[in-house]
Amino acid sequence: MDLKYSEEYEAYRAELRAFLAANWPPKGAGAELSFREQAAVFRQHAIDAGYVARGIPKQYGGSERAADVLKARIIAEEFRRAKAPGEVRGIGASMLVPTLIEKGAEWQKERFVPPTIRGEMVWCQGYSEPGSGSDLASLQTRAELVGDEWVINGHKVWTSGADQADFMFCLCRTEPEAKKHGGISYLLIDMKSPGIEVRPLRQMTGTADFCEVFFSDVRTPKDHIVGKRGEGWIVSRSTLKHERDMIGSAESSLLTFRNLVRLAQSTQRGGRPAIEDPAIRQELAEIEGYVRSHVYSGYRQLTAASKGGSAGIASMLNKLTSSNIGHRISRLALELVGDAGLCSPNGDPIMSVNPRGESGWVTQYMWSLGIAIAGGTANIQRNIIAERGLGLPRERAAQESR
Amino acid sequence: MDFGLSEEQELLQETLRSFIARDCPPTRLREIFDADAGHDPAHWNALVEMGVAGLVIPEAYGGAGLELLDLALVAEVLGEGAFPSPFFGHSLASLAIVLGGSDAQKESWLPRLASGDVLGTIAFGEGDESWDPSAWQMRRVDEKLTGMKGYVPHANVADLIVVGLAGGELALVERSAEGVKLEAIDAVDRTRPLYKLSLDAVVAEVLAVAAASRVRDAGLVLLAADAFGSASKLVEMSVEYAKTRQQFGQVIGQFQAVKHQLADMTTAIEPARGLFWHAAYAFDHLPDEAERGAALAKAHLTDVFMQTARDAVEAHGGIGFTWESDVQIWFKRAMFDRAFLGTPPGHRERAATLAGW
Ligand SMILES: Cc1cc2nc3c(=O)[nH]c(=O)nc-3n(C[C@H](O)[C@H](O)[C@H](O)COP(=O)(O)OP(=O)(O)OC[C@H]3O[C@@H](n4cnc5c(N)ncnc54)[C@H](O)[C@@H]3O)c2cc1C
């Protein structure tokens, strides 16, 4: 155990600060570019210098550095301080890229990983269907191999960002004769293909961030399959794990918590700052107990992973832990913003770790609920923890519907 | 002891229930929710016909002369239907005059409020959670008011606004009076739209008796009743959904986890029915318990309602999170019930103080 920022780390921080001071915001001709272009140029520098895409091999455009929790933390802190664009976020970089690196064909890694981690290729996740949510493996969208192409027909729903995406990674039934889980393949589909219709769906927050996607005779090349035919379920397990890690990211729980403390400091209640109210202090400190547990559990998992091991059941708890924390935080925030709870949320499209103003916390309050459902509901997390983690027998219905 | 409802009270609830089922089913509710007016005037006329507008107005002034419990039972049923209606503001405005008006003021306003010729509302909070009469700043110079009120329900359709003044007095302002300005707020609950009200030297009539705290208490009871009806409806909707939605080859209600969640939701809400009944009864019959009962009922029931709304969304899965889902209409009603007239912690604090703790 060593958590001190030893001299080596302080030197690393100084080096990083110098890098940021030199490169962000861009100077000279670079300052004339659009923000997107500036970010792309900067990100490439940051990858070359080893600050971004550290987990991605060099041959796929990453910087390939040994996992180091403290360095990752220093990078996050310093990038935030400099307001510099860090890792590309979103479904593609966080979920598809690790899956491709684990399970993809060589050409797929070369073609899809670099533009995705540079933020130039945007992905959406086509898993859920109207009849298949928790019971994902019952999905019905079909893909049939005709000559050199898959021909896809069906209907996906709750597809976040489908209207913005360049590509979809999609689960389709390709082996109708096989058993439920064995009949699914993991396909990559260009969202500009003819036959795709995307209809945005509005959430309770008022904005439309997820969509329905209809496929009629949509074609994608035969080799746009990750893993073999009928292995889609296994491949998707890997993506889902990454999704849960993304949603479960302890760092964002910690950031949101810090913002909650700031909110309590800036809110007046009964003529004094809310943070001086004993009930609020108790609640904040109680939430912090959960947040810190979550953060340190994350450190432990990262350390174990960097040594090639695993932290066991702890990794199955991340999503439920984080959505429970999200609920506690947003509930206290709603209490603190008081009258603002009578007004509509501010229209931010996603749950932000740094809500904009009081109405941003109203958005947060609603999104904390969406997050508890997306990527597998709280109940499904509990089933995973109980069955895969604790070794309890599966529920009969789930067993029999295989 | 008799802790139950009379036949008349049950009949009133049943009549209203069937009216809402017929005239404001979910399809119609959805249309009103997506439009801006925040109610259907025909619906309000129907409530007036049923005597709801004058329920607590004395018979001598054309009302039914009933009590807060009767009004709360109406609020419960309106909550069940997430019924978009100026009922809440109108009831409190009427009560303000019943409790605080001089004979002349009663004579002049109550018959018209009872007959629905005049629609009333209240203007209490001034922002920053200044719901308590002691926090009001609205200034009165001679008979003229100047100041701002934060969240006035259904002010767009109200003729008469009961305005809280610095010092805790109440005054009557006509919406058509010179110097009255309304500004729509982007309210989260579209079944009870809110307006910001600015008054600039507006002619007003001050009520004879300062009844602000009593009117506030009545409001707390009505919100608690609304929360009870609404939350009960959400449990019913979730149970229905759990009986029809299939995953893993069976209805989700067959999973013990889901069963237990629905059982917990029922256990949280159903016993709390007595809390608003008791608070409403105390308002008219147990003066020593009235204020505290109202505070506790509002804090407890609106919190339970908010949690029930979250649970109901979860029980519905992805669809529960959409604008298309009816669940979100009640979810937003919960946000109103919770925050309007002040969030639960403040009322709990008051309940503790009133108990002498
Ligand atoms: C904001 C948001 C974004 C999303 N983004 C995407 C996306 O990009 N791509 C994508 O493919 N999907 C996405 N989803 C869909 C999400 O994965 C599903 O909504 C989720 O898996 C639940 O499925 P469902 O909605 O069909 O609910 P259902 O499966 O019908 O669940 C309804 C209720 O039954 C319970 N339940 C079901 N089975 C069991 C069981 N065996 N035991 C106990 N309880 C059970 C659930 O917990 C839930 O409470 C998103 C959802 C949301 C809310």
Side-chain angles (χ1 to χ4, degrees), chain A residues 56-375:
Chain A
I56 313 286
K58 285 211 168 95
Q59 74 213 84
Y60 311 127
S63 61
E64 196 173 349
R65 301 294 152 114
D68 184 322
V69 181
L70 290 186
K71 282 187 181 164
R73 200 135 179 220
I74 291 171
I75 294 168
E77 282 168 9
E78 295 302 323
F79 270 64
R80 207 160 39 241
R81 200 192 310 271
K83 297 197 170 66
E87 300 288 345
V88 168
R89 290 180 203 286
I91 291 164
S94 317
M95 286 153 56
L96 176 77
V97 165
T99 302
L100 280 184
I101 289 187
E102 217 175 303
K103 303 263 161 69
E106 195 50 38
W107 76 266
Q108 292 169 341
K109 300 184 199 184
E110 282 165 16
R111 158 133 187 240
F112 295 118
V113 174
T116 304
I117 60 174
R118 285 197 306 264
E120 292 156 16
M121 185 182 272
V122 176
W123 292 80
C124 63
Q125 177 194 40
Y127 283 13
S128 307
E129 297 181 6
S132 309
S134 298
D135 184 12
L136 181 57
S138 66
L139 61 93
Q140 298 296 320
T141 295
R142 278 174 301 112
E144 215 181 320
L145 197 56
V146 180
D148 282 344
E149 289 175 323
W150 294 104
V151 179
I152 302 144
N153 283 286
H155 177 187
K156 295 286 174 183
V157 75
W158 322 132
T159 321
S160 301
D163 51 345
Q164 311 282 331
D166 303 305
F167 268 84
M168 171 190 276
F169 51 97
C170 181
L171 292 181
C172 300
R173 193 157 293 286
T174 53
E175 325 297 312
E177 307 301 316
K179 278 202 178 163
K180 196 171 166 182
H181 296 79
I184 297 170
S185 298
Y186 191 109
L187 304 182
L188 308 177
I189 303 168
D190 188 332
M191 290 299 284
K192 285 182 284 297
S193 314
I196 294 187
E197 193 198 334
V198 177
R199 278 190 218 150
L201 291 168
R202 203 169 171 206
Q203 298 104 223
M204 65 156 74
T205 53
T207 53
D209 306 302
F210 52 29
C211 304
E212 271 184 298
V213 183
F214 298 87
F215 300 87
S216 37
D217 290 331
V218 173
R219 285 157 193 274
T220 197
K222 183 180 173 185
D223 61 358
H224 279 44
I225 180 171
V226 182
K228 296 203 187 70
R229 286 179 70 143
E231 282 184 3
W233 184 253
I234 299 159
V235 176
S236 80
R237 296 294 88 185
S238 143
T239 316
L240 270 181
K241 181 182 148 306
H242 297 303
E243 172 172 28
R244 284 170 194 151
D245 287 348
M246 176 175 83
I247 295 177
S249 157
E251 201 65 25
S252 63
S253 295
L254 184 63
L255 286 177
T256 316
F257 174 73
R258 291 206 177 118
N259 283 310
L260 178 69
V261 173
R262 232 162 274 145
L263 177 68
Q265 284 164 333
S266 61
T267 304
Q268 291 289 314
R269 171 174 277 195
R272 59 180 184 173
I275 193 96
E276 290 174 18
D277 179 330
I280 302 284
R281 298 165 77 79
Q282 283 288 325
E283 175 77 5
L284 281 173
E286 193 179 330
I287 295 174
E288 188 173 1
Y290 287 104
V291 172
R292 297 238 161 233
S293 304
H294 188 33
V295 169
Y296 300 141
S297 174
Y299 288 1
R300 216 185 111 227
Q301 290 168 48
L302 273 174
T303 304
S306 72
K307 294 178 184 163
S310 131
I313 195 171
S315 61
M316 296 174 195
L317 312 179
N318 291 336
K319 205 221 151 191
L320 189 58
T321 302
S322 125
S323 61
N324 286 346
I325 290 172
H327 179 197
R328 289 286 293 264
I329 289 180
S330 65
R331 202 172 55 187
L332 181 57
L334 193 67
E335 205 173 293
L336 289 168
V337 302
D339 288 348
L342 288 165
C343 303
S344 286
N346 70 352
D348 273 349
I350 43 157
M351 172 131 144
S352 154
V353 293
N354 187 13
R356 285 190 290 120
E358 293 195 323
S359 103
W361 285 104
V362 177
T363 314
Q364 179 91 5
Y365 186 74
M366 293 184 184
W367 268 108
S368 70
L369 198 46
I371 295 287
I373 298 167

Side-chain angles (χ1 to χ4, degrees), chain A residues 125 127-128 133-134 158 160 377 379 383, chain B residues 245 252 255 258 314-315 318:
Chain A
Q125 177 194 40
Y127 283 13
S128 307
S134 298
W158 322 132
S160 301
T377 66
N379 279 352
N383 285 347
Chain B
R245 169 69 173 171
I252 56 172
F255 292 111
V258 174
E314 275 202 66

Side-chain angles (χ1 to χ4, degrees), chain B residues 96-259:
Chain B
I97 300 174
V98 170
L99 296 170
S102 65
D103 286 346
Q105 285 166 331
K106 288 180 184 170
E107 197 64 63
S108 140
W109 291 105
L110 291 180
R112 287 188 284 160
L113 285 162
S115 68
D117 290 340
V118 168
L119 187 66
T121 191
I122 51 148
F124 279 13
E126 295 175 355
D128 285 333
E129 299 184 74
S130 55
W131 295 100
D132 198 84
S134 64
W136 296 340
Q137 314 247 320
M138 176 68 71
R139 279 182 302 121
R140 174 163 73 95
V141 176
D142 300 324
E143 296 302 305
K144 292 189 170 169
L145 306 186
T146 301
M148 194 279 288
K149 287 287 176 181
Y151 306 93
V152 184
H154 276 103
N156 54 330
V157 290
D159 307 296
L160 180 69
I161 308 175
V162 177
V163 179
L165 311 183
E169 283 180 311
L170 296 176
L172 305 180
V173 165
E174 292 185 61
R175 185 175 55 118
S176 57
E178 203 169 316
V180 173
K181 221 181 92 203
L182 290 182
E183 198 185 310
I185 288 171
D186 186 12
V188 70
D189 175 12
R190 302 181 60 84
T191 66
R192 285 168 297 186
L194 293 170
Y195 288 79
K196 188 170 147 184
L197 170 75
S198 318
L199 302 182
D200 181 13
V202 175
V203 178
E205 207 184 312
V206 178
L207 289 182
V209 181
S213 301
R214 291 281 287 161
V215 177
R216 187 262 327 264
D217 290 348
L220 298 179
V221 172
L222 293 184
L223 291 173
D226 186 87
F228 177 82
S230 300
S232 304
K233 175 67 180 193
L234 281 175
V235 174
E236 187 189 307
M237 285 161 71
S238 305
V239 168
E240 277 314 304
Y241 190 71
K243 286 180 187 166
T244 50
R245 169 69 173 171
Q246 295 215 1
Q247 288 290 274
F248 303 99
Q250 64 176 36
V251 294
I252 56 172
Q254 212 168 333
F255 292 111
Q256 197 169 45
V258 174
K259 263 184 214 157

Side-chain angles (χ1 to χ4, degrees), chain B residues 5-56:
Chain B
L5 302 181
S6 69
E7 266 176 40
E8 290 80 5
Q9 288 168 329
E10 280 170 2
L11 184 67
L12 173 65
Q13 287 202 308
E14 275 321 308
T15 311
L16 259 175
R17 249 180 218 123
S18 26
F19 158 69
I20 293 176
R22 196 188 59 231
D23 282 32
C24 193
T27 44
R28 179 76 191 112
L29 171 60
R30 168 66 55 176
E31 285 168 7
I32 303 173
F33 187 86
D34 283 338
D36 281 328
H39 90 137
D40 176 344
H43 287 163
W44 175 243
N45 292 340
L47 288 194
V48 170
E49 299 264 303
M50 284 181 236
V52 167
L55 212 59
V56 290

